Amino acid sequence: MTKENVQGAGEEEQQAQSKKALKKQQKEAEKAAKKAEKQAKLAAEQQETDEDDFAKDRYGICPMVQSQQKLDRALVRVQDLTPEKAEQQIWVRARIHTSRAKGKQCFLVLRHQQFTVQALLAVGERASKQMVKFAANLTKESIIDVEAVVKKVEQKIESCSQQDVELHVERIFVISQSEARLPLQLEDAVRPEGEGDEEGRATVNQDTRLDNRVIDLRTTTSQAIFRLQSGVCQLFRDTLINKGFVEIQTPKIISAASEGGANVFTVSYFKTSAYLAQSPQLYKQMCICADFDKVFCVGPVFRAEDSNTHRHLTEFVGLDIEMAFNYHYHEVIDSITDTMVQIFKGLRDRFQTEIQTVNKQYPSEPFKFLEPTLRLEYKEAVAMLKAAGVEMGDEEDLSTPNEKLLGRLVKEKYDTDFYVLDKYPLAVRPFYTMPDPNNPKYSNSYDMFMRGEEILSGAQRIHDAQLLTERAMHHSIDLEKIKAYIDSFRYGAPPHAGGGIGLERVTMLYLGLHNVRQTSMFPRDPKRLTP
Amino acid sequence: MPMYKSPNVHGHGMNCGEHALQNGEVDPSLKALEERQDEVLRRLYELKATVDGFAKTVTTPDADLDASTPSPGPAESVFKGTADLDSLLGKDLGALRDIVINANPARPPLSLLVLHALLCQRYQVLSSVHVHSSVSAVPPPLLSCLGPRHIDSYARQRFQLGFTLIWKDVSELQMKFSTQSMCPIEGEANVARFLFRLLGAEPQDPAAATQMDCWIDKAVFQLSEGGSKDRAAVLRSLNAALGRSPWLLGQEFSLADIVCACFVLRAGQTTSAPVNVQRWLKSCQNLGHFDCVYPFLQ
């Protein structure tokens, strides 16, 4: 081999190497050039976006409100958005009920409690594409603050509660974002049952609602129901206070079962056990013997009845009345029925919005009543039932189906959903019921019905210790267990009578609903202890 | 015993009667005289009352008026017939038989108020007035239109009949009794016919019964629902009929008089009504059953 060959080979190698290197360099250069081009393009686009988003100060997600500042801003409620506010620029805080994008526009429905209003955001001078996109992507149920101009609309917006106006949005900020996946859809939760079946759209079953009560309570129907229930309680209190009644509080942890052994909850009480009160009965009466004359109390009642029906709860709110009278227990019936009539009138006159809202999802006949309240005697009821073909004994208790039938017969004849049935047979009443003075088979006791279902059971109470002892023995009740109760009548006791209603049941029947769980915020029954 | 005897100033020749007089006892002949005097006075009073009664009777022709009772209140029941309540109202099942009437407070059914007063004289009636929730308020006179509450109203089963008046937003007056076996009766005149039957006073003669129905229909269709021409025509018919007899059906007071009088009174302008009609209205008033109606006339 010559030196020249080796040199030549080296040179060739070098040349080959440099060729490779050149190629590599070229490739890298191309890559770099492409990258640079891309970056330049992106940069250009970014600039473009930033430039186009002239609205970026007018929307966004607010930092969590930790009371960083005290803004003196007035927020208008959705229910106050009416044509009177047309052309005004206002701030509203509400939830996103629905949001829907359509090209360059976004339609939102904002909701606050029972009220909804339509809001519109369109790409234009005030809103950029990005802003509209942001609004359309907001999750349902998120709480937002919106600044908007109120505009009158020509055609009524049937699907909202505020039908005569809509909002033209200027600014939109998120105060509290909701997770995207909701356990139930609110629009399904307010859909009437029939509609759901017909159109194949979902409704929400009761258990799902109760499991996710916080969301279910947000529906317009639930808001209306519980506002009305609050009204019942308030009317009850106001009417009785005006009649000179005193509100009392009675103990719920007691030493002996008041109504009858089986249906009582036991609690451990230090080294022994105690019971949860089945009714304030005994204590109401003791207050009468203590000269309070007219008392009422509002408080929980606990019944350990393993009844899984549409109208039973293990815990409910009892509204109870007890009153001393002069000569005849009808004085007390008149007082109780007048209180109920005042409640019905108050609901009829001041809660029409709520009643209509509930009727949208659960249609029913309006509640009818007479003033003064209709009072029929037990014998008349038996006669009416017999005339309708029912076979029953004169002193037999009314079964639930018979009560319902009687309700329908009374409705047909007198056109009232509320009435009193007086003079029940003695045998079917508790031991402390005063017997009828003329006929020992009957008693001075009464039930009151709404839409054919019993809401109140009451009577004149025995206020004589001797007679009370006899009647207790007749019912085979252990006298030791009720010694304190009987003792209260030994030192002068006025004649008295009373009765109690369940808040949830009265609300349910007034609105014509069919399950008491709909009118109990967090219901308790044999199968449910939470939420 | 007196200490001494003083001469008797009353007269001479008295024997045991002397002592009797001084001791306060009465001479039998004097007693007889006093008794005759009392009897004469009593008969005089009776006659006077009878004459007073007749004075009324001249303007108020009704053979059944008991003229010796000077009471100014409603006379004894003018209808003495008997009605079989069981066949009209169904078997008595031992409970109050309650008649329910739904009326609009804008048009109080005056003839039914009169019939109610008549029913109360014949039977033990438990009357109640209610306001239905379809009406927000009712003037107080309408609440007390059936009179004061009966003392025994706490014991419903002591009464033979119930009369329950409900002021309600209805377009047509309506009566319900036994919803299982009777359909509702509509219209004031028809309910009046039903209640009249309970008094057992329906005319037995078919011609009279038809005439009665005729007068009632005139009242309903022409007096109440007709124009001023119709009203004038009815008043002329009434005037003509009442020129021939004291009451519309002749000598007997009947439902025709009750219904027509109430409808005439309600139409108003009774001072410009024809002579016989005015006299007849006064007779109705004198009977006393129409007292309940006057508070509702303008």
Side-chain angles (χ1 to χ4, degrees), chain B residues 40-56 67-70:
Chain B
V40 166
L41 279 172
R42 206 198 72 226
R43 279 170 61 198
L44 264 174
Y45 281 131
E46 249 177 65
L47 270 171
K48 180 176 187 300
T50 310
V51 170
D52 281 342
F54 280 142
K56 260 191 170 182
S68 57
T69 49

Side-chain angles (χ1 to χ4, degrees), chain A residues 237-418:
Chain A
R237 273 210 170 89
D238 287 349
T239 310
L240 289 173
I241 299 276
N242 283 339
K243 286 184 192 290
F245 279 71
V246 174
E247 183 169 3
I248 60 170
Q249 308 296 337
T250 63
K252 308 302 169 209
I253 309 177
I254 57 178
S255 61
S258 43
E259 296 285 325
N263 306 329
V264 65
F265 287 112
T266 316
V267 289
S268 67
Y269 197 78
F270 303 107
K271 294 211 171 72
T272 170
S273 356
Y275 304 101
L276 292 181
Q278 295 159 302
S279 83
Q281 183 66 29
L282 274 40
Y283 295 97
K284 282 193 296 179
Q285 290 186 257
M286 289 200 226
C287 278
I288 300 296
C289 297
D291 282 353
F292 283 93
D293 271 4
K294 302 181 187 183
V295 297
F296 73 94
C297 57
V298 177
V301 171
F302 303 96
R303 301 262 168 104
E305 229 178 280
D306 198 358
S307 292
N308 294 294
T309 72
H310 72 280
R311 59 187 205 165
H312 283 99
L313 294 170
T314 49
E315 178 186 349
F316 62 90
V317 177
L319 304 175
D320 277 87
I321 300 177
E322 200 73 24
M323 184 177 139
F325 60 83
N326 299 332
Y327 295 104
H328 200 286
Y329 72 99
H330 280 186
E331 296 164 38
V332 180
I333 292 190
D334 288 344
S335 214
I336 298 179
T337 52
D338 186 57
T339 304
M340 295 306 297
V341 164
Q342 296 312 315
I343 293 177
F344 300 146
K345 279 184 170 179
L347 294 177
R348 174 193 71 186
D349 298 339
R350 288 160 28 192
F351 288 83
Q352 270 307 316
T353 317
E354 281 73 15
I355 296 172
Q356 297 310 320
T357 307
V358 175
N359 278 343
K360 265 203 233 166
Q361 186 174 359
Y362 301 106
S364 78
E365 290 284 314
F367 189 82
K368 299 193 194 162
F369 53 93
L370 297 177
E371 183 179 14
T373 302
L374 178 67
R375 189 187 68 232
L376 302 177
E377 285 184 357
Y378 198 80
K379 287 188 177 164
E380 282 176 79
V382 173
M384 280 172 96
L385 286 170
K386 282 184 175 167
V390 170
E391 286 182 21
M392 64 176 286
D394 286 336
E395 288 151 53
E396 214 182 291
D397 200 2
L398 292 175
S399 64
T400 311
N402 282 345
E403 280 177 358
K404 287 231 169 90
L405 174 58
L406 183 62
R408 277 200 290 277
L409 295 171
V410 170
K411 178 81 189 271
E412 228 187 302
K413 186 166 178 181
Y414 296 92
D415 200 22
T416 176
D417 290 309
F418 175 65

